Amino acid sequence: MKAFMGIVLILLAGLGASVWIGFHTKLSEGKLPYDDDQKGISEQVVIKFSHVVAENTPKGLAAQRFAQRVNEKSAGKIKIEVIPNGGLYSDQEELEALQRGDVQMIAPATTKLSSFSSKWQVLDLPYMMPTRDSIIEALNGEIGETLLGSLEERNMKGLALWTNGFKQITTNDGPIVQPSDLKGQRLRIMPSPVLERQFELVGAKAIGLDFNETYRLLESRELNGEENTISNIYSKKFFDVQSDLTISNHGFLGYAVIMNEDFWTKLTNDQQTIISEALDETTRWNQTQSFEMNDEQLSLIEDNSSIDIHYLTNEEKREWAKRWQPLYREFEEEIGKELLSKMIKLRNNNKDF
Ligand code: SIN
């Protein structure tokens, strides 16, 4: 029995020694032993998603929701790291960073894509999509598909279109009710030939500048005003540094959700499916939530700020639309006749004033 116990002890000592030696060999080779959780993390795909707006906006919330759904669907194997407020890149920088592959995902305002394909300008034409339904129909149908497809030549994979809502006008020199009320004013716009001409046609000077520069320029009165959605006016507190807000619903602001094409093609089929499904769910949610959010934040501005709010009547809207009508012809060639006529048909089926 003693002899047997001796053999067992020797075997156990040998086993212990080999485990110890193995562990230290791995350490010296720089390979730490790991459990399954550790293995999962080392195989995690991390996707940086950069955008320029606040978190409590339609885009900010959609980005977070998308990140959460991807995390759930992939059991943590795909991590979407959302960086809001231009924390990584400003508007122009994020487009360049995406093409270089320094960031994998962005969701710029569609207006900012017109330098890549002039087709995108169709969404900037004033009063082109007069109702919420017309926006959804344009984005979810053939028009949206054509626009997303136009990004392929630029090493960008267009994955989805999100909405924010209708643009309104704010100024420090209001009230702005008639087109002539904007005469001589200097306004911030997103860089866009259509938007520049839009304000030129009513006698104002519009300058394309970064979104996150806007508050400072309005506060210092270097600019008189700007156009934006209620959600951006609310979340960036433009209402604090402007005296008048005109509810004109004259333009559309929405987003193209884009991934670096090389990065996208390197993902496995399963990874692509997870991302596409999470995006489809998020897009459906965004397309109702964004309008509700703009409505709620308009009430908050109304209740909590001293800005004067002017709601354009249908007759006043018709006056603005008449002044801007020449733009449709001016940009027909750049946008393309076919796309423009599809859009005009959609507009005519959805007229509301
Ligand atoms: C955004 O909503 O992403 C920014 C819009 C702007 O530049 O005005």
Side-chain angles (χ1 to χ4, degrees):
M1 184 64 186
K2 267 191 184 162
F4 175 74
M5 285 302 288
I7 291 166
V8 169
L9 279 174
I10 288 165
L11 282 176
L12 282 175
L15 190 66
S18 60
V19 167
W20 189 88
I21 289 164
F23 180 82
H24 283 269
T25 310
K26 282 206 184 266
L27 265 186
S28 65
E29 285 170 358
K31 290 185 213 152
L32 271 172
Y34 51 74
D35 59 23
D36 279 352
D37 283 351
Q38 297 269 329
K39 183 166 181 253
I41 287 167
S42 72
E43 283 173 359
Q44 196 180 47
V45 174
V46 179
I47 298 176
K48 282 206 182 83
F49 184 169
S50 168
H51 69 78
V52 298
V53 295
E55 284 171 300
N56 63 331
T57 56
K59 176 163 63 178
L61 293 180
Q64 282 171 33
R65 193 179 178 98
F66 164 65
Q68 191 186 332
R69 290 303 292 130
V70 169
N71 185 47
E72 286 161 6
K73 280 173 176 285
S74 69
K77 293 259 167 58
I78 307 175
K79 181 172 182 214
I80 309 285
E81 227 174 73
V82 182
I83 305 114
N85 281 313
L88 264 191
Y89 301 108
S90 68
D91 313 64
Q92 188 52 35
E93 286 168 356
E94 71 176 14
L95 286 160
E96 289 158 10
L98 182 88
Q99 286 183 297
R100 285 195 307 271
D102 291 348
V103 67
Q104 290 74 43
M105 232 177 143
I106 58 173
T110 57
T111 306
K112 293 168 189 167
L113 296 169
S114 47
S115 57
F116 295 115
S117 163
S118 48
K119 287 188 172 69
W120 288 95
Q121 296 182 110
V122 76
L123 301 180
D124 288 332
L125 288 167
Y127 288 121
M128 183 49 105
M129 293 178 284
T131 61
R132 294 175 179 190
D133 286 349
S134 61
I135 292 176
I136 304 302
E137 194 180 329
L139 300 189
N140 291 356
E142 245 181 87
I143 293 169
E145 235 171 73
T146 306
L147 293 173
L148 287 175
S150 75
L151 296 172
E152 255 155 50
E153 302 155 13
R154 302 295 192 136
N155 196 25
M156 295 184 193
K157 176 77 186 167
L159 293 171
L161 290 163
W162 289 348
T163 62
N164 182 322
F166 291 111
K167 284 185 288 184
Q168 323 296 349
I169 299 168
T170 67
T171 177
N172 249 328
D173 299 274
I176 305 298
V177 177
Q178 303 298 327
S180 57
D181 295 333
L182 273 182
K183 198 164 189 296
Q185 299 213 19
R186 283 164 59 81
L187 308 170
R188 181 270 168 180
I189 50 164
M190 293 180 270
S192 147
V194 168
L195 300 182
E196 226 175 286
R197 273 296 284 155
Q198 169 189 280
F199 285 118
E200 203 177 342
L201 283 175
V202 294
K205 170 87 186 143
I207 308 155
L209 294 164
D210 274 354
F211 178 60
N212 283 310
E213 280 292 292
T214 312
Y215 182 92
R216 185 184 65 74
L217 294 166
L218 296 175
E219 188 185 30
S220 64
R221 303 234 177 180
E222 283 168 69
L223 294 175
N224 304 92
E226 58 87 53
E227 58 162 14
N228 228 307
T229 58
I230 289 298
S231 142
N232 281 343
I233 293 167
Y234 176 78
S235 58
K236 289 291 173 184
K237 293 196 162 39
F238 297 159
F239 64 84
D240 261 356
V241 288
Q242 297 275 267
S243 62
D244 294 85
L245 164 62
T246 300
I247 304 300
S248 52
N249 284 351
H250 68 277
F252 163 72
L253 173 56
Y255 307 106
V257 185
I258 310 171
M259 198 172 266
N260 174 285
E261 172 92 36
D262 292 338
F263 182 83
W264 172 257
T265 49
K266 280 184 194 131
L267 294 173
T268 64
N269 286 345
D270 284 353
Q271 289 167 334
Q272 289 184 353
T273 304
I274 287 173
I275 290 170
S276 301
E277 284 178 4
L279 262 180
D280 284 350
E281 288 172 25
T282 309
T283 302
R284 278 196 295 280
W285 177 77
N286 157 263
Q287 290 183 348
T288 48
Q289 180 272 346
S290 57
F291 294 115
E292 284 166 13
M293 188 163 202
N294 275 280
D295 290 345
E296 279 162 21
Q297 294 181 338
L298 177 57
S299 303
L300 289 171
I301 293 176
E302 237 162 353
D303 294 346
N304 300 301
S305 91
S306 59
I307 198 165
D308 287 330
I309 305 182
H310 317 280
Y311 289 83
L312 293 188
T313 62
N314 283 348
E315 200 186 329
E316 286 158 353
K317 283 185 190 166
R318 280 195 288 274
E319 188 55 35
W320 286 84
K322 202 164 107 201
R323 287 293 291 272
W324 283 328
Q325 186 62 31
L327 283 171
Y328 288 42
R329 178 66 63 79
E330 277 181 39
F331 285 89
E332 179 180 273
E333 208 163 309
E334 284 188 37
I335 290 167
K337 273 194 176 153
E338 201 186 324
L339 182 60
L340 185 62
S341 56
K342 273 187 197 152
M343 205 65 182
I344 290 176
K345 195 167 157 207
L346 185 74
R347 183 198 61 173
N348 293 343
N349 290 339
N350 285 277
K351 278 202 160 157
D352 80 334
F353 61 86

